Amino acid sequence: MTHEEHHAAKTLGIGKAIAVLTSGGDAQGMNAAVRAVVRVGIFTGARVFFVHEGYQGLVDGGDHIKEATWESVSMMLQLGGTVIGSARCKDFREREGRLRAAYNLVKRGITNLCVIGGDGSLTGADTFRSEWSDLLSDLQKAGKITDEEATKSSYLNIVGLVGSIDNDFCGTDMTIGTDSALHRIMEIVDAITTTAQSHQRTFVLEVMGRHCGYLALVTSLSCGADWVFIPECPPDDDWEEHLCRRLSETRTRGSRLNIIIVAEGAIDKNGKPITSEDIKNLVVKRLGYDTRVTVLGHVQRGGTPSAFDRILGSRMGVEAVMALLEGTPDTPACVVSLSGNQAVRLPLMECVQVTKDVTKAMDEKKFDEALKLRGRSFMNNWEVYKLLAHVRPPVSKSGSHTVAVMNVGAPAAGMNAAVRSTVRIGLIQGNRVLVVHDGFEGLAKGQIEEAGWSYVGGWTGQGGSKLGTKSCCHEGRHAHLNIFSSSGNLELQTLPKKSFEQISANITKFNIQGLVIIGGFEAYTGGLELMEGRKQFDELCIPFVVIPATVSNNVPGSDFSVGADTALNTICTTCDRIKQSAAGTKRRVFIIETMGGYCGYLATMAGLAAGADAAYIFEEPFTIRDLQANVEHLVQKMKTTVKRGLVLRNEKCNENYTTDFIFNLYSEEGKGIFDSRKNVLGHMQQGGSPTPFDRNFATKMGAKAMNWMSGKIKESYRNGRIFANTPDSGCVLGMRKRALVFQPVAELKDQTDFEHRIPKEQWWLKLRPILKILAKYEIDLDTSDHAHLEHITRKRSGEAAV
């Protein structure tokens, strides 16, 4: 990275103007995107304009197009909806309206447009762009603009960000607003579950998604629904029989409730709508169950955006500004989207075309094709749902391998969802599934029991670890006592090495042929010890797989761990409340300590999601001069209209610059300018009900791990017993960029900093400059690692998304 390239980012926008608008239906997270576009635009030296009320504002001009300032987007990150307003606009559909819009832009020298909306809004933008030169010549002929103005505005750059709660736009893994909508839906489903259980009721829940079943599908995975109806996959012709049989089977197994999820656009094989009322009447008539319908409606669009949507909106906003400013007359209009955890640019019209192809396939009743066009991620969700919901567990244990499941390390929300899907997929395959209580200690002591189908019923939405993890304490806090010191007997409790004899005896006694270990860094180090132990103990030569689950997100081999998203949302909500508490008071700065051991993931991501002024982490060493610069920065900030500051500190980022030290420093230096307050968030970050992301991620991880396990056990079968001693029979299942991959624990050793319990390379460190720019620091933005334009058709076929 040369100094010139660094400098280029700061001067990229000089002399340019960008307009940002939100159009179509609102979606939570749009404000985060608008804020990022404004701030990064200003950072590059560009002028940025708000267009109020979507395309209508573009057509009407006047006060609807206003220049934005740094402060004008303050405090909007945590607001739902769109602050700059959105409207459906008939005028813009007509050429006359687009002519007026072009006039309004040319007069202000705006040649870059960032449109945040659904596919309709983005198609409109592309039409506008393709007509641009004709519109300009019409305006010139009519004498409305000068030749000089026409030359200056000779071409229009357009970048789209997809804001839509339905996640119905092809080419993007997640659209802005989808995750927040799932949060709203899950809050309601969890609430309804409790009342349904009290009365033994059946609930039919109708969620949004006229043409796309994504919300319904992920909801059903996240709450373990009995049935889901989505437009892409109409049920078989005898679905009424099948549904009623399924509901009564669930009741006979002892469940007190049934949940059926319906997308508003659900249809049967002939394209006839299946409504929630139809389903209710069917259940009442055939089974006589007390059945209620709840239509969720616009609640799903409302409320504050989730941490995921704020980070998504912010990252997409940054990328959109870069794409606009790097655009040339030859660059096609593009959409900035997320694939796995990478930002990608895709040609706008290719995405719109594939999105239209889905509708066409559904109209022509080619449902398999529609499903394929939705992409790998959608298909994987559907496969896992079908497995967990529509397969009857076999009566005989035909596969009859025995697999044990355990939790290790500190509790993390989503562990129970992972156990549930592991157990159930195991049973569906005809295996015996055992659960181990209290981690490796329980494995040594024989705290092991067989799990049936109902054993894990209702586990998806429950936080913590129902099997117990026997973690000595919170992972980060006393980790140094754990593996590296002989000063305490803590390692006896959590890691397997000291108990190999008892563990081996129990593996034989219970005939365990495979082990699924769900947990954090201790699960990974435990896996490494099991590999080592194979040399002495043949019994340990069984396949095992580690599913990363920890709020710290510090397991080598995976970009995400189950539980980290829930912790992030907890921190985010708390920061919102803390910032709000200062509304109306004099100037105030909050210093908040987050968990994570030595890993700065939570502090960095929460800093992005909550709009922090600084986030101190171990991975990016800081000195007293940095602290001084941050204090100075806040002193300057307090002179503006923004009277609040937020500083996050990861618990182990520096042994001497403690939270108290930083609080005292800020208090002293801020005297007469701002007050300081501190909060240590503590263990609430490990608690709570898992977020939709964690439920869904854990469910898919469990299913994937169990499928791998069955294959590995068959592979390792020799002379009537299991013998697995190859490196690839002990793996971590991780999400890497766009795919779920199995990686031998032995190979991950080189990628690990064992002393600090973190991977040596961490993808999210690249997001730190964004955090600083959005907090108005004059820093260098590395523009070398940009998303390059990809093509959606190629991307879809070569992709192995989660």
Side-chain angles (χ1 to χ4, degrees):
M1 168 62 18
T2 62
H3 177 69
E4 285 70 39
E5 273 175 301
H6 273 326
H7 190 61
K10 277 191 220 167
T11 54
L12 204 58
I14 290 175
K16 295 182 179 176
I18 298 171
V20 57
L21 64 90
T22 51
S23 169
D26 62 310
Q28 310 96 317
M30 280 182 165
N31 291 323
V34 170
R35 169 180 177 268
V37 170
V38 168
R39 290 195 166 174
V40 176
I42 292 173
F43 170 84
T44 63
R47 294 175 69 195
V48 187
F49 292 83
F50 289 136
V51 179
H52 291 276
E53 312 308 332
Y55 284 124
Q56 195 62 56
L58 208 56
V59 174
D60 295 345
D63 282 349
H64 286 90
I65 305 175
K66 282 195 191 125
E67 187 156 1
T69 63
W70 194 273
E71 282 87 38
S72 62
V73 291
S74 178
M75 291 307 287
M76 69 193 272
L77 188 59
Q78 65 270 43
L79 301 175
T82 165
V83 173
I84 59 174
S86 180
R88 309 271 177 203
C89 173
K90 284 204 182 79
D91 295 344
F92 193 74
R93 294 203 178 129
E94 306 300 325
R95 188 184 157 89
E96 185 50 41
R98 293 194 289 275
L99 198 62
R100 280 161 58 196
Y103 170 79
N104 289 328
L105 289 179
V106 173
K107 281 296 177 197
R108 290 170 177 78
I110 301 169
T111 55
N112 297 288
L113 189 57
C114 175
V115 177
I116 308 167
D119 58 346
S121 310
L122 299 182
T123 310
D126 195 70
T127 310
F128 190 37
R129 182 190 166 143
S130 59
E131 290 179 351
W132 185 254
S133 51
D134 292 348
L135 294 172
L136 288 196
S137 59
D138 284 8
L139 290 169
Q140 262 174 296
K141 278 179 204 148
K144 293 204 171 158
I145 61 171
T146 65
D147 294 352
E148 189 189 350
E149 284 173 330
T151 315
K152 265 193 178 163
S153 307
S154 61
Y155 67 93
L156 178 70
N157 275 320
I158 283 187
V159 170
L161 302 184
V162 192
S164 152
I165 65 165
D166 295 337
N167 202 22
D168 56 355
F169 195 78
C170 292
T172 54
D173 276 0
M174 283 292 260
T175 57
I176 295 168
T178 305
D179 188 65
S180 303
L182 286 169
H183 274 252
R184 282 312 83 75
I185 296 170
M186 285 321 303
E187 283 160 19
I188 295 164
V189 173
D190 288 351
I192 278 179
T193 303
T194 55
T195 164
Q197 279 177 325
S198 311
H199 296 274
Q200 291 209 21
R201 282 197 174 128
T202 296
F203 265 93
V204 181
L205 287 168
E206 184 181 302
V207 301
M208 281 185 169
R210 238 183 338 225
H211 307 296
C212 179
Y214 185 86
L215 290 178
L217 179 53
V218 175
T219 300
S220 61
L221 270 178
S222 303
C223 71
D226 293 285
W227 198 286
V228 67
F229 290 93
I230 61 173
E232 291 87 345
C233 305
D236 293 329
D237 292 337
D238 60 343
W239 66 267
E240 292 93 343
E241 306 291 329
H242 192 163
L243 172 68
C244 294
R245 189 176 69 234
R246 171 126 189 77
L247 296 180
S248 53
E249 275 173 10
T250 316
R251 287 286 169 101
T252 1
R253 286 200 205 111
S255 170
R256 290 180 60 85
L257 83 156
N258 298 111
I259 289 187
I260 300 163
I261 309 282
V262 191
E264 59 183 345
I267 47 174
D268 65 15
K269 282 257 161 64
N270 304 312
K272 184 175 159 284
I274 298 177
T275 67
S276 26
E277 280 300 322
D278 294 342
I279 298 162
K280 173 192 164 174
N281 297 337
L282 171 79
V283 176
V284 171
K285 193 170 131 202
R286 299 240 184 133
L287 298 170
Y289 290 171
D290 183 355
T291 308
R292 303 291 156 101
V293 172
T294 302
V295 178
L296 301 192
H298 279 70
V299 166
Q300 296 161 79
R301 285 195 190 281
T304 53
S306 65
F308 183 94
D309 273 329
R310 298 179 196 195
I311 292 165
L312 178 65
S314 302
R315 288 180 67 187
M316 300 296 94
V318 175
E319 191 58 49
V321 171
M322 289 305 156
L324 282 172
L325 299 181
E326 289 165 10
T328 67
D330 307 324
T331 345
C334 77
V335 175
V336 172
S337 82
L338 195 70
S339 183
N341 59 22
Q342 293 178 298
V344 293
R345 296 179 190 174
L346 303 166
L348 173 67
M349 288 323 285
E350 282 187 22
C351 298
V352 168
Q353 191 50 54
V354 179
T355 306
K356 285 182 175 158
D357 291 347
V358 176
T359 318
K360 185 166 172 265
M362 278 157 56
D363 290 345
E364 293 171 359
K365 304 191 177 49
K366 296 179 182 163
F367 297 109
D368 290 347
E369 195 180 314
L371 193 60
K372 280 199 188 81
L373 288 167
R374 280 268 179 246
R376 284 288 293 269
S377 171
F378 195 97
M379 284 179 73
N380 286 351
N381 282 326
W382 180 247
E383 291 308 316
V384 173
Y385 159 74
K386 277 200 309 197
L387 261 182
L388 286 169
H390 284 231
V391 176
R392 284 170 155 180
V395 185
S396 71
K397 302 272 186 278
S398 57
S400 74
H401 296 307
T402 304
V403 181
V405 186
M406 63 199 280
N407 292 348
V408 175
M415 278 182 162
N416 297 326
V419 172
R420 171 186 175 270
S421 83
T422 306
V423 167
R424 289 198 167 173
I425 297 287
L427 293 172
I428 286 165
Q429 292 169 344
N431 297 318
R432 267 181 81 223
V433 185
L434 306 176
V435 289
V436 180
H437 296 276
D438 294 343
F440 287 116
E441 186 184 326
L443 191 58
K445 290 185 174 168
Q447 291 165 287
I448 299 168
E449 61 177 321
E450 189 166 343
W453 189 266
S454 310
Y455 184 90
V456 289
W459 277 30
T460 322
Q462 302 201 14
S465 159
K466 288 173 81 87
L467 294 181
T469 60
K470 210 63 179 181
S471 109
C472 51
C473 48
H474 155 234
E475 271 208 73
R477 192 79 32 103
H478 304 296
H480 54 285
L481 298 177
N482 200 332
I483 351 183
F484 309 105
S485 75
S486 49
S487 59
N489 63 345
L490 290 172
E491 61 181 337
L492 283 174
Q493 289 184 319
T494 49
L495 288 161
K497 201 182 228 163
K498 293 274 160 62
S499 334
F500 276 163
E501 289 191 6
Q502 297 98 300
I503 287 176
S504 299
N506 281 327
I507 285 177
T508 306
K509 179 180 169 188
F510 290 93
N511 189 27
I512 295 171
Q513 296 167 311
L515 195 55
V516 177
I517 309 168
I518 300 163
F521 200 85
E522 271 131 32
Y524 162 69
T525 41
L528 282 169
E529 288 189 5
L530 291 175
M531 284 307 258
E532 279 298 297
R534 285 177 172 183
K535 293 171 192 158
Q536 290 164 280
F537 298 91
D538 275 3
E539 294 86 345
L540 299 179
C541 294
I542 57 170
F544 69 84
V545 59
V546 175
I547 295 178
T550 163
V551 300
S552 307
N553 197 26
N554 61 338
V555 179
S558 192
D559 293 342
F560 296 105
S561 299
V562 171
D565 186 67
T566 305
L568 197 53
N569 277 286
T570 304
I571 299 169
C572 224
T573 309
T574 312
C575 288
D576 287 353
R577 286 180 186 164
I578 287 172
K579 276 167 84 174
Q580 207 172 23
S581 73
T585 62
K586 54 183 198 281
R587 304 174 179 95
R588 187 159 281 176
V589 174
F590 295 96
I591 289 118
I592 295 175
E593 181 187 301
T594 64
M595 271 187 174
Y598 284 101
C599 179
Y601 177 80
L602 287 178
T604 298
M605 295 310 240
L608 257 178
D613 293 282
Y616 300 118
I617 62 168
F618 167 75
E619 292 91 341
E620 196 175 273
F622 56 98
T623 64
I624 192 72
R625 279 178 294 286
D626 297 309
L627 290 170
Q628 196 179 351
N630 295 150
V631 174
E632 276 301 305
H633 187 262
L634 282 165
V635 169
Q636 291 309 314
K637 182 180 177 180
M638 296 297 165
K639 291 178 182 166
T640 69
T641 52
V642 187
K643 310 288 189 211
R644 264 158 286 195
L646 177 67
V647 173
L648 298 181
R649 179 187 173 276
N650 166 258
E651 58 182 357
K652 295 179 83 110
C653 64
N654 187 305
E655 70 184 303
N656 294 316
Y657 297 145
T658 59
T659 302
D660 285 337
F661 176 91
I662 292 176
F663 167 69
N664 291 336
L665 176 78
Y666 276 66
S667 300
E668 182 58 38
E669 297 294 320
K671 270 188 187 158
I673 302 158
F674 58 78
D675 280 356
S676 298
R677 295 282 186 275
K678 68 167 184 197
N679 281 62
V680 176
L681 299 186
H683 278 69
M684 66 178 211
Q685 294 162 84
Q686 286 179 350
S689 171
T691 56
F693 179 92
D694 277 333
R695 296 180 194 200
N696 191 14
F697 186 43
T699 301
K700 286 199 275 195
M701 292 285 259
K704 185 112 177 160
M706 206 49 162
N707 284 331
W708 175 88
M709 182 60 75
S710 294
K712 271 286 170 257
I713 290 176
K714 288 190 184 92
E715 249 176 61
S716 321
Y717 209 74
R718 309 220 173 88
N719 313 326
R721 51 166 291 208
I722 303 296
F723 188 76
N725 63 348
T726 53
D728 69 353
S729 59
C731 284
V732 167
L733 169 58
M735 182 175 165
R736 280 284 172 94
K737 290 184 177 163
R738 297 179 183 179
L740 286 179
V741 284
F742 292 91
Q743 304 143 101
V745 285
E747 280 176 23
L748 293 170
K749 252 171 138 168
D750 297 342
Q751 299 171 27
T752 310
D753 167 355
F754 284 99
E755 188 189 343
H756 300 107
R757 302 160 65 90
I758 52 176
K760 287 178 185 166
E761 280 187 20
Q762 302 184 88
W763 67 272
W764 49 266
L765 283 165
K766 286 189 178 145
L767 302 184
R768 292 206 34 104
I770 298 179
L771 186 142
K772 292 174 189 166
I773 287 169
L774 294 175
K776 210 175 185 177
Y777 280 88
E778 282 297 315
I779 68 139
D780 289 332
L781 177 63
D782 178 351
T783 54
S784 62
D785 190 42
H786 267 327
H788 298 292
L789 195 66
E790 296 194 3
H791 288 282
I792 178 170
T793 38
R794 193 168 64 237
K795 171 178 168 275
R796 272 209 335 278
S797 53
E799 178 187 14
V802 183

